[in-house]
Amino acid sequence: MNELLKNISGAKNVEYADFVREYEAKNKTSILKLQTGDPDFSTHPNVVKAMLASIEKGKTHYTNSPGIPDLRSALSEKLVRENKINSAPENILVANGGVHAIYLAIRSLINPGDKVIIFEPYWMPYKSILEISGANIIKVPLDLPHMNEETILNNFKKAYSNDVKLIIANSPNNPTGMIFSENFYKDLLNTISNETILLSDEVYEKILYDKAVHVSPASLGIKSEQIISVFSFSKTYAMTGWRIGYLHASKVLNKEMLKLLQYTSTCVSPFIQDAAIVALKDNAVNAHVDEMVKRYAERRNLLIELKGAVMPKGAFYCLIQNPTHLGEVNFSRWCVENIGVAVSPGDAFGENLPFFRVSFAVDDTTWSEGIKRLSTVLKG
Ligand SMILES: Cc1ncc(COP(=O)(O)O)c(C=O)c1O
């Protein structure tokens, strides 16, 4: 077994999901699962139809590894129009989901011992992929629960040195729901050297509340060649199971990442790519996206009264302060056993994080009942 792989952490949420399933089976009960990051909505039928039509046309063979030309063109047009990124089709690589794009970026850049900054709390796969790569991980706190950008930037500047190879930023953020502003990115980009790469994970770009604005750091005209921007169809279009995402980067970086894409998956299935073009361009599909975001916003409103909830500005998660002295994993188990609600333990996102995470990518009934039961615990 590969020693680095054997030693990686990150299985806590998987262990917890196993515990929830076993608990349900043993007690013949059903638990309200507020720990998933998978939209409860179905993929729009127009996208499904496009996929079926593509298969019927015989599009069942390998495609060019970076992505089919029509999709790369549509994606670069979208990045120019919506993200204000100066993009051409050659800057795009189509990958098997955002996580694959992130894997390609980290694995193609990092040598053992290289310094990498991640903000804590973080989405666990960053840490795990960095660990497999032998990276020297430096964690910069996100200043919970205030999430003050000035404080975060000060934390960042203290941790940063010119030999940091990579910084991973995620906005809208999982799990905090925080959104980095234009000024935040400008300051960060003006601080870093010409050797440091910024990996900007923007998979929740469309899920925004209270008129929040998403900023793509690659649009700011500062060190753009050093930025790898990652996007996905998973969350925006409720297409998690389709496994399609993409990245934008300089041609120099893409040349290396493409090798890894070829060796890890050859290409994304052609019929999935054809369906993705429809997701991008079809008006009904995009109206569906707006509708889903509206529904998330309504669910988010239920959090306002909840004691200890850190209100998210984007994505569909909320961190809530653990009201007990139980450790995070024990508290999450306690919630299953006592109120029949599964939440993600803070330990899944950082060390000694006195929070737990709920997700409102669940159906309305589960959400409102889950919040009702949690509020009895949070009051006490
Ligand atoms: C912050 C973040 N980035 C990336 C991803 C990857 O999503 P996918 O691989 O489905 O595109 C997720 C999924 O939960 C996520 O939360």
Side-chain angles (χ1 to χ4, degrees), residues 50-194:
M51 189 271 282
L52 293 173
S54 174
I55 291 192
E56 275 165 8
K57 269 191 227 143
K59 301 252 198 104
T60 54
H61 299 272
Y62 294 133
T63 72
N64 348 15
S65 291
I68 57 174
D70 284 354
L71 179 57
R72 289 173 91 201
S73 298
L75 289 170
S76 71
E77 279 164 23
K78 176 261 179 189
L79 290 181
V80 170
R81 189 179 62 243
E82 295 182 13
N83 301 79
K84 314 286 179 246
I85 297 176
N86 184 8
S87 178
E90 303 77 55
N91 297 117
I92 309 276
L93 294 181
V94 179
N96 292 89
V99 69
H100 187 211
I102 290 163
Y103 183 86
L104 299 178
I106 295 175
R107 294 297 269 160
S108 62
L109 286 168
I110 299 304
N111 289 306
D114 280 347
K115 290 184 186 169
V116 180
I117 289 184
I118 57 174
F119 293 95
E120 186 172 30
Y122 43 78
W123 185 53
M124 186 58 88
Y126 303 144
K127 182 160 167 276
S128 303
I129 302 170
L130 289 168
E131 283 172 347
I132 311 169
S133 312
N136 173 4
I137 303 171
I138 303 165
K139 296 174 198 158
V140 171
L142 274 181
D143 182 38
L144 276 167
H146 317 289
M147 297 185 286
N148 180 292
E149 285 193 336
E150 218 177 289
T151 310
I152 300 168
L153 278 167
N154 284 338
N155 295 340
F156 171 77
K157 285 175 191 174
K158 270 189 228 140
Y160 180 77
S161 53
N162 282 348
D163 59 344
V164 166
K165 188 76 159 287
L166 176 69
I167 300 158
I168 304 180
N170 167 220
S171 173
N173 184 268
N174 175 12
T176 65
M178 185 181 183
I179 290 180
F180 290 142
S181 71
E182 185 173 321
N183 283 340
F184 176 91
Y185 279 126
K186 280 185 176 161
D187 198 337
L188 185 143
L189 290 168
N190 284 323
T191 303
I192 66 175
S193 79
N194 291 336

Side-chain angles (χ1 to χ4, degrees), residues 33 90 133 264 283 333 367 380:
K33 297 183 191 68
E90 303 77 55
S133 312
T264 49
N283 289 339
R333 287 176 181 241
W367 179 242

Side-chain angles (χ1 to χ4, degrees), residues 97-99 102 123 126 170 174 201 203-204 232 234-235 243 317:
V99 69
I102 290 163
W123 185 53
Y126 303 144
N170 167 220
N174 175 12
D201 178 348
V203 304
Y204 296 98
S232 176
S234 289
K235 316 289 176 170
R243 308 312 305 134
Y317 308 102

Side-chain angles (χ1 to χ4, degrees), residues 83-357:
N83 301 79
K84 314 286 179 246
I85 297 176
N86 184 8
S87 178
E90 303 77 55
N91 297 117
I92 309 276
L93 294 181
V94 179
N96 292 89
V99 69
H100 187 211
I102 290 163
Y103 183 86
L104 299 178
I106 295 175
R107 294 297 269 160
S108 62
L109 286 168
I110 299 304
N111 289 306
D114 280 347
K115 290 184 186 169
V116 180
I117 289 184
I118 57 174
F119 293 95
E120 186 172 30
Y122 43 78
W123 185 53
M124 186 58 88
Y126 303 144
K127 182 160 167 276
S128 303
I129 302 170
L130 289 168
E131 283 172 347
I132 311 169
S133 312
N136 173 4
I137 303 171
I138 303 165
K139 296 174 198 158
V140 171
L142 274 181
D143 182 38
L144 276 167
H146 317 289
M147 297 185 286
N148 180 292
E149 285 193 336
E150 218 177 289
T151 310
I152 300 168
L153 278 167
N154 284 338
N155 295 340
F156 171 77
K157 285 175 191 174
K158 270 189 228 140
Y160 180 77
S161 53
N162 282 348
D163 59 344
V164 166
K165 188 76 159 287
L166 176 69
I167 300 158
I168 304 180
N170 167 220
S171 173
N173 184 268
N174 175 12
T176 65
M178 185 181 183
I179 290 180
F180 290 142
S181 71
E182 185 173 321
N183 283 340
F184 176 91
Y185 279 126
K186 280 185 176 161
D187 198 337
L188 185 143
L189 290 168
N190 284 323
T191 303
I192 66 175
S193 79
N194 291 336
E195 308 300 326
T196 305
I197 302 289
L198 172 65
L199 174 58
S200 170
D201 178 348
E202 305 178 36
V203 304
Y204 296 98
E205 61 174 330
K206 291 283 173 72
I207 305 174
L208 304 164
Y209 310 111
D210 289 346
K211 303 200 173 74
V213 178
H214 171 67
V215 176
S216 292
S219 69
L220 301 175
I222 312 167
K223 303 192 173 89
S224 311
E225 296 284 302
Q226 294 164 231
I227 301 174
I228 301 172
S229 315
V230 171
F231 305 89
S232 176
F233 286 79
S234 289
K235 316 289 176 170
T236 303
Y237 297 104
M239 287 174 66
T240 49
W242 296 64
R243 308 312 305 134
I244 179 161
Y246 55 104
L247 63 80
H248 167 100
S250 72
K251 288 173 204 157
V252 178
L253 291 173
N254 272 0
K255 191 168 158 232
E256 302 307 314
M257 290 190 282
L258 177 59
K259 289 185 207 163
L260 207 49
L261 192 156
Q262 284 165 337
Y263 302 140
T264 49
S265 84
T266 308
C267 63
V268 172
S269 315
F271 44 88
I272 302 290
Q273 296 193 57
D274 277 347
I277 296 174
V278 171
L280 282 174
K281 294 191 167 174
D282 187 286
N283 289 339
V285 176
N286 286 287
H288 179 57
V289 173
D290 294 342
E291 184 54 33
M292 288 189 282
V293 174
K294 225 169 94 195
R295 295 277 294 282
Y296 291 138
E298 284 162 13
R299 293 174 193 169
R300 174 181 173 271
N301 284 341
L302 296 190
L303 291 162
I304 292 169
E305 300 295 321
L306 217 54
K307 196 165 162 231
V310 182
M311 284 306 279
K313 297 200 169 95
F316 39 55
Y317 308 102
C318 179
L319 284 184
I320 303 174
Q321 274 166 11
N322 176 351
T324 68
H325 294 296
L326 294 173
E328 296 320 305
V329 173
N330 287 341
F331 176 70
S332 303
R333 287 176 181 241
W334 184 93
C335 286
V336 170
E337 288 161 354
N338 291 275
I339 56 171
V341 177
V343 300
S344 301
D347 305 52
F349 312 101
E351 271 161 57
N352 304 320
L353 207 72
F355 292 85
F356 62 96
R357 190 197 76 175

